[in-house]
Structure formats: C-alpha cells, structure tokens
Amino acid sequence: MAIVKPFKAVRATRDKVAMVSSKSYEIYTPAMLDSKLAFNPYTFLHVINPGYKYHKQDISGELRFKLVHNRYLEFKENEIFKQDKVPAFYIYQKITPTKSFCGIISATSVADYHNNVIKKHEGTLKQRELLFENYLKNTGFNAEPVLLTYPDNAVIASIIKKYKQQRAEYEFSTTDKDSHLLWIVDDELDIKEITTAFKEIDTLYIADGHHRSTSSCLLAERLAEENPNHTGNEDYNFFMSYLLPESELSIYEFNRFIKDLNGLSPHEFLIELDTFFRIENRNQEFYKPKEKHHFSMYLDGEFYALYLRKSLYNFTDALSKLDAQILYTTVLKPILGIDDIRNDSKIVYSQDKSDGLELKTKVDSGLFKVSFGMLPTSINELKEIVDADLLMPPKTTYIEPKLRSALTIYEF
C-alpha cells in the first residue's frame, strides 16, 4: 500500500516560471552557468549558487547551504515564489521532440521507503547521503522530486486525462525544444481518488534520485529525534516525488570505455574473451546488439559482435542475467582487472542515444583502448532485480524524463 499526500507547493508565479525553473545544477558547464546567472535574474540557479551575488564562487559546506536558504527567502520576499494556500497534487507533463511523459508530483512517505514499499535498484554512497541530508537540514526545502514509477493504473490515468483537457497552470517551452505543462489538483474528490488508487499499489520503484530519497529519510530520522512531540505526520516524514506510470518511463544504456587492456595486447585480449564469448569481427561495420547477452565492442580500429556462450555461464539469479553484470563478471573484473567499477579511474561511462558513433570516436582519439555497448535494461528486469532485494551495478540505466528544478518546491 503506497502512501501519497498532497502538499502546499512553493512555486514560481505563472509569468516567471519559464525563467525560474532550471535543469539540475550538475548539468551546466561553468560557462553555461555564468551566462545563466549573468543574464537571468529570475533563474533558480541564483538560489543554489548563492556566492554569485558576492562575486565569490568557491563557497562550500554549511556556509553555502545557509546562503542558499537566504537566497530562497529573497525569492519568496520578492514574490517570485509563492506558496499555494491549500494542499494539492500536481500533474506535470514534459513533451520532448520524441516522447511525452505525464505523471503526478506528490509527497511520498519515508515510512514506505523503510518498509520496502518504495524500492531502490542502485546503491548509494554514504558521503553523498550525509552531504545532501545536511543540505536539506540547512535549506529547509527540496526543489527537485525523486522519480518514482508505478504499474499503469486506469483510475489514475483517467484523472490525469481529465485535467489535461483543462487549461494548464503552467505552459512553456525551453531552448532545448521541450514543452512543460502543469495542472493543479486541489479538488477534494480527485485528491481522495488519487490517494485511494495509490493505496492499492503494492510497490513504487525509484527510477532516479536514490541519494535524494535516502537523504530525506536520514533527515526525517534526525528531526524526529529532535522533536519531543513527533507524531509521524510532520512534513519531514515525506519527500517530494514525481510518480510516472511504467509505460511512460524511458530507459537507455550506458556505454563503457576502458583506458587500458591490463597489460594485454589487442590479440591477447581477444583470446581471453573467447572463453565466454563467440566473437565476430565486423571490421568498420557498427554492430548494435539486438538481443540480451549480446554486446558490441570497438577495439584497435574495428567493431566486434560478442555473443555470450550461455553453456559456460552460470545464471544463478536475476542479477546474473543482467548484461551489465555479465560484462563485469566475465570481462571487466577477471580480464581487465577492474574490481571497483564505481570508483576505478580506468573505466568511464557515457550515455549516448545516437547511432553508437562514440564507441568508435572515443577509442580512436587515443583516450581509451576498448569500448563496449549493450541493450538497455527493461523495466521488467529492473523490477525483477529489485524484488529479489538485489542491486544493479552503477551506471546500468540512464532513465528519462530528467526533471527540472523549482517547478514545485517542498518545504519541511
């Protein structure tokens, strides 16, 4: 039973939202960030990059977090941000040149995370968890929802469809040719219907935002300990999420690029691969895998197709069937000597939705010796692994939609 709750979002006024909302901070290069800050006084980037006001960009730690809180207060004082007067759900639709995503922004339960109603598919780094917990504690808000997915539900879909026939509260486009629309659901009957529908859903899966959800849970534990009158209904017992039906989730693969062959020549490396793979040399013809357990490889100026010898590979559980795990256990660790695939500097991950040209160009540049490509992980594979209480290797999935910051803000 999944618990979702409407909340009073803090959000930009309709006339300014296109200028206020931003992509995630990490996406911007320094040059892009400087340009946004210099020419757009309304961008949320001023809030999360507070040192710009003082011409000082190297502010860090708790001082930065406190200044973020101050810039946030200024946006509210200047009425760039206003808080809704009644709790609501928010239907948000993002339309890209190739796909449309539409789901519900809500508050989701920390208790559901602890009770495994909200499940994760990736591990998290303790240092990042604590850093973001400290950020939340000092700023008092979260501006970017966790992306959760749920099985398609006819009741929820019908409510979304009804609101999409009405005028949106927000409707704007961005320079990357994406369109953004947001509807406010504050009708009590519709709120009850949404809440009831989610109570009938057994599991929500984290698609993106593992560190944000974990940090929110850590903060809730800390604030509960500090609050002698804790009831479990306080806002800090929930975190903001974007709930998207499974059919609308897009999952892409990450390519793997390796800087050296662990002392092997290309010929010796191919011989080592022959143990677990049937190898086809495609010369200059790019090979895109069409089936699970098939891989593309670019080595020494040529493309190869690798087909797993299933008779020699031991499938023991859902994780062992995952292509990213197969590549790790048969190639990366035993042959190339990459044990810690999260932190080893010899391996680099890249997500490229083009025709796979980067598999060739990055190796030809001399930065890498070999590259690997594979099919994307399916939503059913993800769920099977999660339901078995297993975790995927890092950089297994690149999931869309990527959400903008400050469309709705959750205070606690």
Side-chain angles (χ1 to χ4, degrees):
M1 182 177 76
I3 299 170
V4 301
K5 189 179 82 164
F7 67 101
K8 298 177 184 179
V10 175
R11 54 190 182 85
T13 54
R14 183 187 291 180
D15 62 314
K16 295 183 178 67
V17 64
M19 294 180 287
V20 171
S21 69
S22 67
K23 296 179 181 179
S24 293
Y25 179 78
E26 296 81 5
I27 291 177
Y28 295 97
T29 65
M32 292 167 61
L33 185 61
D34 284 343
S35 176
K36 294 283 186 182
L37 293 168
F39 296 104
N40 182 358
Y42 297 112
T43 177
F44 185 68
L45 295 170
H46 281 290
V47 175
I48 55 179
N49 196 71
Y52 184 82
K53 180 177 181 178
Y54 302 105
H55 308 288
K56 189 174 178 60
Q57 301 281 47
D58 58 350
I59 299 175
S60 60
E62 289 199 12
L63 175 59
R64 175 175 174 265
F65 299 159
K66 290 176 181 177
L67 289 176
V68 167
H69 178 71
N70 293 345
R71 295 293 81 72
Y72 175 65
L73 291 180
E74 286 178 6
F75 268 50
K76 293 179 72 175
E77 290 160 359
N78 293 329
E79 297 191 334
I80 299 169
F81 285 146
K82 293 183 178 181
Q83 187 167 30
D84 286 334
K85 298 187 184 304
V86 298
F89 290 118
Y90 302 87
I91 295 173
Y92 167 57
Q93 182 177 26
K94 177 180 179 180
I95 305 171
T96 74
T98 58
K99 183 111 188 235
S100 173
F101 309 92
C102 193
I104 297 176
I105 299 174
S106 80
T108 47
S109 170
V110 165
D112 278 355
Y113 183 91
H114 289 304
N115 295 334
N116 217 26
V117 174
I118 296 175
K119 295 184 178 181
K120 61 183 181 179
H121 69 264
E122 287 184 0
T124 52
L125 298 174
K126 195 64 178 179
Q127 185 176 1
R128 286 190 64 189
E129 292 174 9
L130 296 175
L131 178 66
F132 195 64
E133 179 204 4
N134 198 24
Y135 169 86
L136 294 173
K137 179 71 163 59
N138 281 277
T139 61
F141 69 86
N142 187 11
E144 188 173 326
V146 173
L147 177 59
L148 301 179
T149 189
Y150 62 91
D152 288 46
N153 181 283
V155 173
I156 299 170
S158 67
I159 296 173
I160 291 175
K161 182 179 179 180
K162 180 178 76 172
Y163 277 85
K164 286 173 67 176
Q165 294 170 351
Q166 304 172 15
R167 183 194 178 191
E169 171 70 11
Y170 292 158
E171 185 174 6
F172 64 96
S173 296
T174 45
T175 54
D176 51 10
K177 299 183 179 179
D178 291 344
S179 297
H180 305 269
L181 299 96
L182 184 134
W183 295 264
I184 301 172
V185 182
D186 56 11
D187 178 84
E188 290 185 6
L189 292 178
D190 290 334
I191 287 174
K192 183 178 180 180
E193 200 166 0
I194 291 171
T195 303
T196 301
F198 275 103
K199 283 182 179 178
E200 297 176 358
I201 294 175
D202 293 331
T203 306
L204 303 175
Y205 297 88
I206 300 176
D208 195 12
H210 287 79
H211 284 93
R212 273 172 280 140
S213 54
T214 305
S215 299
S216 296
C217 294
L218 290 174
L219 178 63
E221 292 172 3
R222 188 205 299 195
L223 294 179
E225 291 175 358
E226 295 175 357
N227 181 5
N229 300 313
H230 172 78
T231 66
N233 295 318
E234 297 85 356
D235 288 337
Y236 59 72
N237 295 292
F238 299 83
F239 57 93
M240 184 170 64
S241 296
Y242 180 52
L243 299 147
L244 190 72
E246 290 175 5
S247 63
E248 296 195 24
L249 200 69
S250 291
I251 305 179
Y252 303 93
E253 74 279 12
F254 275 95
N255 296 323
R256 272 90 167 125
F257 297 85
I258 315 301
K259 293 182 179 179
D260 66 64
L261 297 180
N262 200 27
L264 300 173
S265 68
H267 180 70
E268 291 169 334
F269 179 58
L270 287 170
I271 291 175
E272 292 289 332
L273 287 178
D274 193 71
T275 300
F276 279 105
F277 297 93
R278 180 167 59 87
I279 303 170
E280 287 185 5
N281 187 335
R282 297 296 184 97
N283 296 307
Q284 293 301 305
E285 176 193 359
F286 169 65
Y287 169 69
K288 174 71 174 178
K290 295 181 175 59
E291 296 181 23
K292 288 294 179 183
H293 314 328
H294 292 186
F295 302 84
S296 57
M297 181 177 76
Y298 186 75
L299 171 71
D300 201 27
E302 296 180 311
F303 284 104
Y304 293 85
L306 307 180
Y307 308 109
L308 181 68
R309 299 183 191 274
K310 297 179 183 178
S311 60
L312 298 177
Y313 183 83
N314 188 21
F315 294 108
T316 57
D317 54 26
L319 181 60
S320 70
K321 301 174 186 176
L322 189 70
D323 283 349
Q325 183 70 10
I326 290 171
L327 190 66
Y328 171 68
T329 57
T330 61
V331 180
L332 300 181
K333 182 176 181 178
I335 301 176
L336 295 175
I338 300 173
D339 189 16
D340 183 357
I341 52 177
R342 183 183 295 276
N343 299 307
D344 196 314
S345 62
K346 291 198 301 182
I347 185 169
V348 171
Y349 304 90
S350 177
Q351 197 291 314
D352 182 15
K353 289 182 285 185
S354 67
D355 58 3
L357 185 62
E358 74 163 4
L359 288 173
K360 171 180 168 64
T361 56
K362 288 188 175 182
V363 174
D364 287 347
S365 72
L367 294 174
F368 304 95
K369 290 295 185 181
V370 64
S371 59
F372 298 95
M374 65 195 80
L375 281 180
T377 302
S378 70
I379 183 64
N380 287 334
E381 284 182 296
L382 184 152
K383 290 169 62 176
E384 185 181 7
I385 290 170
V386 171
D387 290 342
D389 294 325
L390 300 170
L391 297 176
M392 292 183 177
K395 301 298 184 182
T396 297
T397 58
Y398 179 88
I399 294 179
E400 291 186 341
K402 297 300 180 188
L403 305 176
R404 294 182 74 79
S405 296
L407 274 176
T408 58
I409 296 173
Y410 184 79
E411 290 187 345
F412 37 83

